[in-house]
Amino acid sequence: MSARALIFAANWKMNHGPGAAREYAQKFLALTAPAVDRSLWFFPPAVSLGALSKSLRTRPDASVGAQNVHWEPKGAFTGEVSIPMVMEVGARLVLVGHSERRQLFGETDEQVVRKTRAAIKAGVTPLVCVGETLTERESGRTEQVVLRQIGAVLQAIDGAAWTKVALAYEPVWAIGTGKNATPDDAAQIHEVIRMELGRKGVSVRVPILYGGSVNQENVGLLLTRPQIDGVLVGGASLDPKGWADLVERGSRAKVRPSGGYDLV
Ligand code: PGA
């Protein structure tokens, strides 16, 4: 697959079972043509991975990923799914450390590291999410929190492996709330993350997506910022027509850097 510079990631959360996923794909494919310089990533619920990856198989620009995985390949972990299992039904990506996993299910930095490491080892791309809560932002700790979360992964993953990692900055207070960080705020934190990667010797270009109440109206402005390499979208990705529209608007707004990523 050729390297693609711009990433649109849809996080369906606990929406769209296999039947709805198939229907979605049919509608979405009729509305968007493949473009060589962008990737479309879909994170459906685990039970819909197989149906969705099959429905999207004709599209080299589309990949599917799991919203969560366990780091062990198999074993006595009731209710969990492993990386080899999701790969078997077509996953090429995994979301790691989404704030809902961290906040609602107690996922720790240490677990995020284990999952990230296991994903890289298995050959799927982890999309690792970081971001501060409202309290943390209001007490001026945004950078500190984001750098702690990134730092845990930086410590555990060595330089070369970063060619297969993507990051998402998602301020927790912006997720599903209709409030989003301004393009300048987002760009500033992306810059902080990028500098930290550089300081820790990660020389490859790691894509950094922005997420948190991204919609058709604000995607264009966010993607005009060179620091923002794509978007991770929940609510506004659930309707195929709305998502196709968002992808087209975002694609028109973005000036692509030369080169791209070869992640999936
Ligand atoms: P939202 O969710 O777009 O609905 O705010 C984003 C996310 O949780 O990844």
Side-chain angles (χ1 to χ4, degrees):
M1 178 182 290
S2 61
R4 297 167 189 277
L6 179 58
I7 298 165
F8 292 90
N11 175 13
W12 289 356
K13 309 191 180 184
M14 203 168 69
N15 296 284
H16 298 329
R22 269 189 291 269
E23 235 174 78
Y24 181 114
Q26 231 171 29
K27 288 187 186 151
F28 179 78
L29 292 182
L31 293 166
T32 53
V36 289
D37 56 357
R38 74 177 178 217
S39 295
L40 307 173
W41 292 355
F42 292 89
F43 295 92
V47 292
S48 303
L49 278 167
L52 188 63
S53 64
K54 234 188 231 162
S55 303
L56 296 175
R57 67 182 177 279
T58 56
R59 287 288 292 260
D61 56 330
S63 306
V64 303
Q67 293 174 14
N68 179 42
V69 285
H70 196 278
W71 53 86
E72 291 293 341
K74 62 178 182 174
F77 301 101
T78 302
E80 294 291 311
V81 291
S82 73
I83 296 172
M85 289 172 189
V86 298
M87 289 175 82
E88 195 179 329
V89 286
R92 311 284 306 277
L93 301 144
V94 296
L95 210 52
V96 180
H98 186 277
S99 70
E100 283 152 19
R101 300 291 324 162
R102 292 182 191 257
Q103 303 240 307
L104 305 175
F105 302 99
E107 197 160 299
T108 62
D109 284 347
E110 194 204 329
Q111 291 171 342
V112 168
V113 165
R114 286 186 180 200
K115 292 177 186 195
T116 305
R117 215 193 262 130
I120 295 170
K121 191 164 168 226
V124 288
T125 298
L127 172 54
V128 182
C129 306
V130 297
E132 81 287 1
T133 63
L134 187 59
T135 321
E136 288 161 346
R137 167 160 287 244
E138 285 176 346
S139 58
R141 286 186 291 138
T142 298
E143 290 187 17
Q144 184 192 329
V145 169
V146 167
L147 291 179
R148 187 206 76 223
Q149 293 168 336
I150 295 279
V153 182
L154 270 165
Q155 240 181 17
I157 309 297
D158 65 29
W162 280 87
T163 49
K164 290 292 175 197
V165 179
L167 297 174
Y169 168 57
E170 295 203 304
V172 178
W173 49 271
I175 294 177
T177 58
K179 297 181 202 157
N180 67 318
T182 65
D184 286 340
D185 283 345
Q188 190 231 328
I189 300 299
H190 282 226
E191 194 71 50
V192 166
I193 296 172
R194 175 97 42 224
M195 279 167 58
E196 183 67 5
L197 293 176
R199 246 198 310 276
K200 294 285 161 59
V202 176
S203 56
V204 294
R205 219 182 117 72
V206 177
I208 307 174
L209 316 190
Y210 171 77
S213 295
V214 177
N215 58 34
Q216 289 101 320
E217 307 310 319
N218 59 30
V219 67
L221 212 52
L222 285 160
L223 287 177
T224 54
R225 297 298 187 274
Q227 294 89 345
I228 301 178
D229 303 306
V231 284
L232 175 57
V233 183
S237 73
L238 290 180
D239 168 62
K241 192 167 173 320
W243 181 234
D245 185 35
L246 190 155
V247 166
E248 291 309 330
R249 287 192 194 200
S251 302
R252 278 198 298 273
K254 186 72 174 170
V255 179
R256 319 288 204 277
S258 55
Y261 316 106
D262 206 4
L263 290 163
V264 287

